[in-house]
Each structure stands twice: as structure tokens, then as C-alpha cells.
Amino acid sequence: MGLTMELDHAVKVRSYPGSPRGGDTGLVIPHEDGALVALIDASGHGLSAWAVAQKARAVVLQHPHAEPCQLLDLLDAALKGTDGAAASIARIRGETLSFAGVGNVAARIDTQRLTTQTGIVGCRMRTPHLITTAFPCGAWLLMHTDGVATPPHIPPGSAQTVVQTLIETRGSDTDDASALALRASPRPR
């Protein structure tokens, strides 16, 4: 059985100006009935933050079927001894979204803000809280790091257009800036 929905998704990462690499990373891993979505912002800038982000990325890729809270626990263990990271993780199954986040990676469904726990994954992580909510077809899931100012609305267009617009118009010149956008629609039969 194939994917039951079409996913329009994109991730845009812009490193801190002048830095060869940044500490932000994002992933969308499609599954038969939805996707696993993660946006991670390693503490700091440059190559040391990039190394932490790549370590976190590897953990997500190694556990694509983990639930959001379980994945945050795995990330917390893997990032011990580093400067840590902020992370928001969502699992989409049909028209339901499960979400957990720690730190300042913002997430929302259209205009509904999803709450993250304070803390740092790998350093001072509190027990994450799972939020389960409706994710109707056509709704946007938007995540962005603290290097992107919260937009008053989601820009029109495709997911690629949304993330590009956010980075260009709301991205900081003093931090890594990353955005992830995803919209699901039913797959034509």
C-alpha cells in the first residue's frame, strides 16, 4: 500500500552570515499514512553547532518510526556532553498530528500555535508533553527556528515558496535561520 496523501513540503536552512555551516537542520520523512517531521536548532553557530545538528539528524534518520516524545528522549541521550539543541518533532498520521518540542523551535498548524517545553535537548530537558490534534487536509504545518521572526500569516504558494519567503523576509542576519513547511492533501484515487 502506498502513501495515502500527497505531501507538499520543503525545508530551508540559511547559516549565520559568514559561517560555512550552521547548526540548524530539518527533515521530512514520508510514511505510508503521513510523515515524521523534525526541525532542530543546535545551540551556537558555526562548525561546532553543525556537528551537533548532524548528530541529531542521524538519530532522527535511525529512528523514523519513533513517536515525538520517544525521539526527543533519544536525542537528549545522544546530545549529552554537547551544547545541546532545541527541537520540534511531529508525527502525521492521516488527519491527526502528534507533536512535542523542547526549546525555541516554533511550530503551528495554520494559526494554532503548538506549545513547546522550555529547556535544552541534551542539557536541561524537561519531560516533553505530547500534543495530539487534528491536522485536516489543506492545513499548513509550519516550524521555524528562533532565527526567523514569527510571521503574522503563512505566505501563499507552495511549501518551497513559503520557506523561501520566510527566510528572505523574516530571517535574522545575526543567527542561523530555518523554516519547514508541510501541507497534506488526499492522494487522487
Side-chain angles (χ1 to χ4, degrees):
M1 188 167 141
L3 189 66
T4 58
M5 58 180 56
E6 302 228 0
L7 300 176
D8 176 19
H9 61 87
V11 177
K12 175 79 174 161
V13 176
R14 184 180 74 195
S15 298
Y16 178 81
S19 180
R21 306 239 174 173
D24 292 357
T25 189
L27 301 101
V28 175
I29 303 172
H31 290 289
E32 187 172 290
D33 61 348
L36 175 68
V37 180
L39 190 61
I40 299 162
D41 180 358
S43 299
H45 307 287
L47 295 177
S48 61
W50 177 81
V52 172
Q54 294 312 300
K55 188 175 201 174
R57 183 181 186 85
V59 169
V60 174
L61 289 170
Q62 290 166 3
H63 301 279
H65 299 289
E67 293 302 315
C69 289
Q70 179 188 17
L71 202 43
L72 284 168
D73 287 338
L74 291 166
L75 286 168
D76 190 52
L79 299 183
K80 294 278 188 221
T82 72
D83 289 337
S88 283
I89 300 171
R91 162 91 49 210
I92 299 163
R93 283 195 179 92
E95 291 192 29
T96 302
L97 181 137
S98 299
F99 171 83
V102 173
N104 56 4
V105 175
R108 69 194 232 192
I109 298 172
D110 290 333
T111 59
Q112 175 194 352
R113 193 173 134 253
L114 301 172
T115 305
T116 61
Q117 293 294 111
T118 58
I120 301 171
V121 179
C123 295
R124 294 184 307 268
M125 188 176 94
R126 296 180 181 184
T127 302
H129 293 285
L130 186 68
I131 297 169
T132 302
T133 188
F135 186 61
C137 283
W140 279 107
L141 171 63
L142 178 66
M143 295 180 177
H144 62 83
T145 61
D146 65 335
V148 177
T150 300
H153 63 277
I154 297 173
S158 68
Q160 186 62 46
T161 302
V162 169
V163 296
Q164 186 70 36
T165 301
L166 289 176
I167 298 301
E168 289 173 1
T169 64
R170 312 287 295 174
S172 171
D173 291 332
T174 60
D175 197 358
D176 297 330
S178 299
L180 181 154
L182 179 144
R183 182 170 48 187
S185 58
R187 183 176 291 278
R189 301 217 184 258

